[in-house]
């Protein structure tokens, strides 16, 4: 059996553990990551244990 590195996915805002555990070969795109500690939800991409935050523009109201 291979030794595969694992680690907990940390919240990019407060840096605490979330409920998701990652393996070295995990690939995730556009995951709405919820942190139970700071109660924030952030979109993230994960590839080879590297976490990238997806920043989307806020919704704007329509002008009529």
């Amino acid at each position: 059996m291979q030794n595969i590195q694992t680690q907990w996915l940390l919240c990019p805002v407060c840096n605490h553990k979330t409920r998701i555990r990652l393996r070295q070969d995990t690939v995730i795109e556009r995951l709405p990551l919820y942190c139970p500690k700071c109660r924030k939800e952030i979109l993230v991409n994960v590839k080879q244990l590297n976490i990238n935050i997806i920043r989307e523009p806020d919704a704007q109201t329509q002008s009529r």
Side-chain angles (χ1 to χ4, degrees), residues 9-18 33-35 38 40 42:
L9 182 57
L10 300 178
C11 174
V13 175
C14 67
N15 213 25
H16 282 89
K17 285 183 186 178
T18 60
L33 177 65
Y34 176 76
C35 177
C38 67
K40 304 257 183 190
I42 301 167

Side-chain angles (χ1 to χ4, degrees), residues 1-10 17 20-26 48-49:
M1 190 168 166
Q2 296 177 345
N3 291 337
I4 296 178
Q5 182 182 1
T6 62
Q7 72 180 31
W8 289 100
L9 182 57
L10 300 178
K17 285 183 186 178
I20 299 174
R21 191 158 189 172
L22 300 173
R23 289 178 23 155
Q24 191 174 7
D25 58 347
T26 302
Q48 295 180 348
L49 300 178

Side-chain angles (χ1 to χ4, degrees), residues 54-61:
I54 301 172
R55 301 196 189 276
E56 292 187 345
D58 293 335
Q60 297 179 1
T61 58

